[in-house]
Amino acid sequence: MLELMRVNVLCFGVLREAIGVSEIVEVPDLTTVADLLVYFQERSREDLQAIWSRIAVAVNREYVPREHVLLDDDEVALLPPVSGGSQRLS
């Protein structure tokens, strides 16, 4: 029988509009960060598809690789790439 666990997903930047600020997601045991990203990518807007491979992920406030296995009650932060800013003119 498949065991489910709950993770709290926090979204920042452009993902905040697409997914929301926070969402509790039920996932099966042995779900990886990569699995979770696929879950959200499949549900995201077409104009956001290109950023999913560049998203940084922190679990319980520590950056983790895509292979990281999630645990029940983990807090997962999805951090899209940052661009822009101002250039200093001499």
Side-chain angles (χ1 to χ4, degrees):
M1 184 171 182
L2 187 63
E3 295 282 329
L4 292 178
M5 58 184 181
R6 296 175 72 160
V7 295
N8 183 27
V9 180
L10 306 174
C11 300
F12 298 91
V14 297
L15 297 177
R16 192 175 213 169
E17 285 181 31
I19 297 171
V21 175
S22 178
E23 183 173 331
I24 303 290
V25 179
E26 287 190 336
V27 296
D29 280 341
L30 303 177
T31 294
T32 64
V33 166
D35 298 330
L36 188 66
L37 290 175
V38 168
Y39 170 83
F40 281 110
Q41 181 178 7
E42 289 174 347
R43 289 156 183 75
S44 73
R45 299 186 326 230
E46 188 67 33
D47 62 324
L48 294 178
Q49 293 301 310
I51 70 166
W52 286 98
S53 64
R54 300 178 311 180
I55 288 177
V57 179
V59 175
N60 301 322
R61 300 181 183 199
E62 301 263 340
Y63 286 104
V64 296
R66 301 277 195 266
E67 301 80 26
H68 180 85
V69 177
L70 299 170
L71 301 174
D72 195 34
D73 291 325
D74 274 348
E75 178 184 78
V76 181
L78 303 181
L79 307 151
V82 178
S83 65
S86 62
Q87 290 183 338
R88 183 179 173 147
L89 301 176
S90 303

